[in-house]
Amino acid sequence: MSSTDKLNQLHTFLQQSSLMQLVNMFDLMPDMLFWIKNTNSEIIYANSAFQQHIGVNSLEHAIGLTDYDFAPAHLARQYVVDDQRVMAGQAVDNRLEMNILKNGELRWFTTSKRILLDSNDQLIGTYGVSRHLEKTSLALTGMQALKIPVEFIRANYMHDICIVELAELSHLSISALERRFKKFLHKTPKQFINEVRLENARRLLVETTLPIAIIAGECGFPDPSYFTRQFTKLFDEKPSDFRLSFNPS
């Protein structure tokens, strides 16, 4: 497909979904990744920040790509699974997830996704936004107070983390710390800690051959059964099934 055909496809798609007047606005938000995908999880539109994030220099080079073209397989799989959940009726709201930067570094993002319907209420895809947690932390009023506890959690998730200690490090009361987490991350400190641990466990399940019980312990879950329940609750599959999907042999 030529660049012209791709752009024609884009314009037809946007006209069909009545989004033309809105999508250009997202180029005014350099800290926000915005994209539209069709029902095959192929990119139909990506704002300038998303193009830069995946390492392409123009929109036509992004159209038709899937997450597997620019993200590690275990991360791409989660993004596509999220797309499928959205199309099945489950909204993704401020999901904390790992993402990969252009230089290959893994960083935390908060992501929301929604179903996309045409003028006849027929499913034609999904759309979403994602914000770099550290960049957002510096940009939003009051979020700087979370930089210290967030960095502490990222560095010490494998150990027992006390909320009292987090509050003291942040020079906040426990209630103030919890309010900040709820306001800016839409989750409690304990929920954030749990998701950081589970994201790291998911990475180890793919990148290592360590037994699941060992991975659970190294990620802050001394009880493997509890780890399995928490992993299944967040990712909708058991750790063993997740690992098997990448190593079927």
Side-chain angles (χ1 to χ4, degrees):
M1 183 184 296
S2 69
S3 295
T4 300
D5 289 336
K6 288 182 177 180
L7 291 176
N8 287 337
Q9 180 185 11
L10 163 66
H11 290 301
T12 300
F13 187 92
L14 293 180
Q15 288 169 354
Q16 181 184 21
S17 56
S18 302
L19 291 176
M20 184 66 76
Q21 59 183 328
L22 297 177
V23 293
N24 290 335
M25 177 187 67
F26 287 94
D27 281 332
L28 305 177
M29 304 176 184
D31 65 327
M32 180 179 290
L33 309 181
F34 171 72
W35 65 90
I36 302 171
K37 298 178 183 177
N38 62 20
T39 53
N40 295 320
S41 290
E42 297 170 335
I43 294 173
I44 294 297
Y45 175 83
N47 72 339
S48 296
F50 192 94
Q51 295 170 39
Q52 182 179 14
H53 175 72
I54 65 175
V56 300
N57 55 21
S58 64
L59 177 57
E60 56 264 33
H61 290 145
I63 295 174
L65 298 181
T66 72
D67 293 292
Y68 287 99
D69 292 311
F70 49 81
H74 66 286
L75 296 181
R77 183 170 178 269
Q78 182 61 56
Y79 307 152
V80 173
V81 168
D82 279 347
D83 294 340
Q84 294 169 346
R85 288 175 177 168
V86 170
M87 289 186 284
Q90 301 179 39
V92 174
D93 289 308
N94 291 297
R95 177 186 175 86
L96 178 69
E97 61 187 14
M98 278 186 171
N99 209 321
I100 189 165
L101 304 182
K102 187 178 178 182
N103 62 7
E105 294 181 1
L106 290 174
R107 288 294 182 264
W108 291 99
F109 284 69
T110 55
T111 299
S112 299
K113 297 181 179 181
R114 291 291 186 273
I115 193 172
L116 185 62
L117 305 175
D118 65 14
S119 57
N120 296 316
D121 290 333
Q122 297 298 308
L123 174 67
I124 57 174
T126 62
Y127 65 95
V129 294
S130 189
R131 301 187 104 170
H132 191 306
L133 184 59
E134 288 87 347
K135 289 184 178 180
T136 303
S137 298
L138 296 175
L140 295 177
T141 302
M143 188 65 175
Q144 184 65 26
L146 285 184
K147 181 176 177 60
I148 293 174
V150 165
E151 290 294 336
F152 183 84
I153 292 168
R154 288 178 57 189
N156 296 279
Y157 65 87
M158 66 291 296
H159 306 302
D160 185 35
I161 297 177
C162 177
I163 303 301
V164 173
E165 182 181 12
L166 283 180
E168 291 175 349
L169 286 170
S170 308
H171 304 289
L172 294 169
S173 66
I174 294 176
S175 59
L177 180 70
E178 291 180 338
R179 286 196 299 270
R180 293 279 177 90
F181 267 86
K182 290 292 288 184
K183 179 177 181 180
F184 295 107
L185 298 181
H186 304 281
K187 58 184 85 266
T188 67
K190 289 183 178 180
Q191 288 172 327
F192 182 83
I193 293 168
N194 194 57
E195 292 187 14
V196 169
R197 288 170 171 165
L198 291 170
E199 286 285 1
N200 279 279
R202 184 170 64 166
R203 174 179 56 82
L204 291 176
L205 285 168
V206 174
E207 295 180 356
T208 76
T209 58
L210 290 171
I212 291 175
I214 298 298
I215 289 176
E218 291 196 355
C219 291
F221 294 97
D223 181 351
S225 296
Y226 178 74
F227 163 69
T228 295
R229 292 196 299 273
Q230 291 297 303
F231 189 98
T232 304
K233 181 179 179 181
L234 184 61
F235 300 123
D236 284 343
E237 61 183 333
K238 295 180 180 178
S240 55
D241 293 335
F242 176 81
R243 170 174 271 177
L244 185 61
S245 68
F246 286 92
N247 300 283
S249 60

